[in-house]
């Protein structure tokens, strides 16, 4: 059996830190409200001219360097994003060229906040079937570019950032199981109303912006993630007490706590970065994974449960032996 093994991780964040106190100056909110409802204390915001591709490139370079893999050795670049640099070419193609990995397959996956988990699932299957030996998987976003800074319900929640992993085919696990799902019936709870085909202003004369029914998203997310972690354990033939670390999508600390509770895991076994990064969509899980690896918490041989939930709705997970 061939597995996809994570050789190394990388990440990149914009320099500019925006705290809750900074947001108090532009919308009617408070640090206390944001912290208690979401767990967020600050987020990073991309500089003018800094793109998703720029962040993705930095994360990828770090992961490749730590993996000891040359860009020319890659067979695949797959990038989860909902904020690509251009409509086309795919940001994966732009990053591939800047890395010098020209020639291998490269494409983006848009599954909103589940983008990295979807990209990981796709790369895993290419490696398992023997079509790909080495893959670069990236989750990268400049989500704050589509935040409406006058809407306090949503603008406090998001940030920019990127994370990456290098995968290689191995006889040893590796990614043990992945679960990918979507239900487009929930499209009206979390979406961006504009695009190439429908046009770039909506009926209210608004442009690019995140529209969200927060309370409803919250409820569906908790319920869906409960079922997802059960399904992932089953697919991996494992019990919750065999998981060393939960590395969840970083949208809201209360959602993360609910998933940990479902698994009977203490918060000491959960990687939390939402306080520092807020919700970076596709960037969130690989950023948290990289932070956990670099801080020495995640060690070789440990079992990690990665999961995400986002617009679509989409939801996806992976059980990984690191
Ligand atoms: N600052 C201060 N008050 C705010 C606020 C803000 N930034 N945003 C909303 N409020 C107010 C609301 O207007 C409401 O006031 P009201 O009671 O007078 O009507 C009150 O706070 C409570 O709002 P509610 O929506 O019930 O709060 P909540 O506990 O559900 O928390 C979210 C709101 C958005 C933090 C929460 O629902 C959430 O995290 N949902 C999921 C969002 C998400 O993760 N989306 C991405 C998924 S990938």
């Amino acid at each position: 059996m061939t597995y996809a093994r994570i050789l190394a991780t990388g990440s990149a964040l914009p320099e500019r830190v925006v705290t809750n106190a900074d947001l108090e100056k532009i919308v009617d909110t408070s640090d206390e409200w944001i912290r208690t409802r979401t767990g967020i204390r600050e987020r990073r915001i991309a500089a003018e001219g800094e793109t998703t591709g720029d962040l993705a490139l930095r994360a990828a370079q770090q992961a490749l360097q730590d993996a000891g893999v040359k860009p020319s050795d890659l067979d695949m670049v797959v990038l989860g994003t909902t904020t690509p640099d251009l409509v086309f070419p795919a940001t994966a193609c732009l990053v591939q060229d800047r890395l010098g990995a020209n020639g291998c397959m490269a494409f983006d996956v848009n599954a909103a906040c589940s983008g990295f988990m979807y990209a990981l699932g796709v790369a895993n299957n290419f490696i398992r079937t023997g079509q790909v030996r080495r893959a670069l998987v990236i989750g990268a976003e400049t989500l704050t570019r589509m935040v409406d800074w006058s809407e306090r319900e949503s603008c406090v929640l998001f940030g920019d950032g990127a994370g990456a992993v290098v995968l290689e085919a191995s006889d040893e696990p590796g990614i043990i199981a992945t679960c990918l799902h979507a239900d487009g019936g929930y499209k009206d709870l979390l979406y961006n109303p504009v695009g190439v085909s429908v046009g770039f202003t909506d009926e209210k004369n608004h442009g690019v912006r995140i529209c969200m029914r927060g309370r409803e998203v919250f409820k569906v997310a908790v319920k869906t993630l409960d079922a997802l972690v059960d399904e992932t354990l089953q697919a991996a033939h494992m019990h919750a007490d065999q998981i060393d670390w939960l590395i969840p999508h970083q949208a809201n600390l209360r959602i993360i706590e609910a998933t940990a509770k479902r698994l009977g895991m203490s918060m000491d076994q959960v990687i939390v970065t939402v306080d520092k990064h807020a919700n970076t969509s596709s960037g969130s899980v690989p950023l948290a994974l990289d932070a956990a690896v670099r801080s020495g918490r995640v060690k070789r041989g440990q079992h990690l449960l990665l999961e995400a939930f986002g617009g679509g709705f989409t939801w996806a997970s992976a059980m990984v032996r690191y």
Side-chain angles (χ1 to χ4, degrees), residues 46-112:
E48 211 180 314
E50 188 174 35
T51 67
T52 293
D54 294 336
L55 296 171
L57 179 71
R58 277 170 47 206
Q61 284 168 330
Q62 193 179 45
L64 285 166
Q65 184 170 0
D66 284 11
V69 168
K70 295 199 294 285
S72 56
D73 292 336
L74 291 171
D75 306 308
M76 171 183 219
V77 179
V78 52
L79 186 149
T81 191
T82 187
T83 49
D85 288 16
L86 305 170
V87 173
F88 72 89
T91 306
C93 295
L94 307 179
V95 172
Q96 182 229 44
D97 178 50
R98 290 169 76 183
L99 285 171
N102 307 63
C104 71
M105 78 171 100
F107 57 93
D108 289 355
V109 174
N110 179 352

Side-chain angles (χ1 to χ4, degrees), residues 146 148 151 191-212:
M146 58 179 173
D148 180 341
E151 275 195 11
Y191 65 104
N192 187 322
V194 303
V196 177
S197 191
V198 299
F200 278 102
T201 50
D202 68 3
E203 71 279 5
K204 290 183 191 145
N205 220 18
H206 286 129
V208 174
R209 76 202 160 103
I210 295 169
C211 302
M212 186 182 72

Side-chain angles (χ1 to χ4, degrees), residues 28-30 33 37-38 113 152-153 156-158 190 212 214-215 217-218 249 251-252 254-255 279 309-310:
D28 180 15
T29 190
S30 68
W33 191 96
R37 302 286 174 132
T38 70
C113 293
R152 67 174 184 174
E153 290 79 8
V156 300
L157 301 178
F158 299 102
L190 181 58
M212 186 182 72
R215 210 175 306 179
V217 175
F218 187 98
H249 177 44
N252 184 312
R254 290 184 294 143
I255 299 177
N279 182 349
F309 178 90

Side-chain angles (χ1 to χ4, degrees), residues 15 57 113 138 174 178-179 186 192 239 255 304 315:
E15 234 169 77
L57 179 71
C113 293
I138 309 170
T178 59
C179 302
Y186 288 108
N192 187 322
H239 297 290
I255 299 177
L304 322 177
W315 58 101

Side-chain angles (χ1 to χ4, degrees), residues 228-240:
L228 180 65
V229 296
D230 291 350
E231 181 194 351
T232 316
L233 284 170
Q234 225 172 355
H237 305 289
M238 284 173 59
H239 297 290

Side-chain angles (χ1 to χ4, degrees), residues 170-193:
S170 165
D171 295 337
E172 303 277 322
I175 296 175
I176 300 166
T178 59
C179 302
L180 277 63
H181 294 281
D183 185 344
Y186 288 108
K187 61 188 181 301
D188 296 333
L189 295 192
L190 181 58
Y191 65 104
N192 187 322

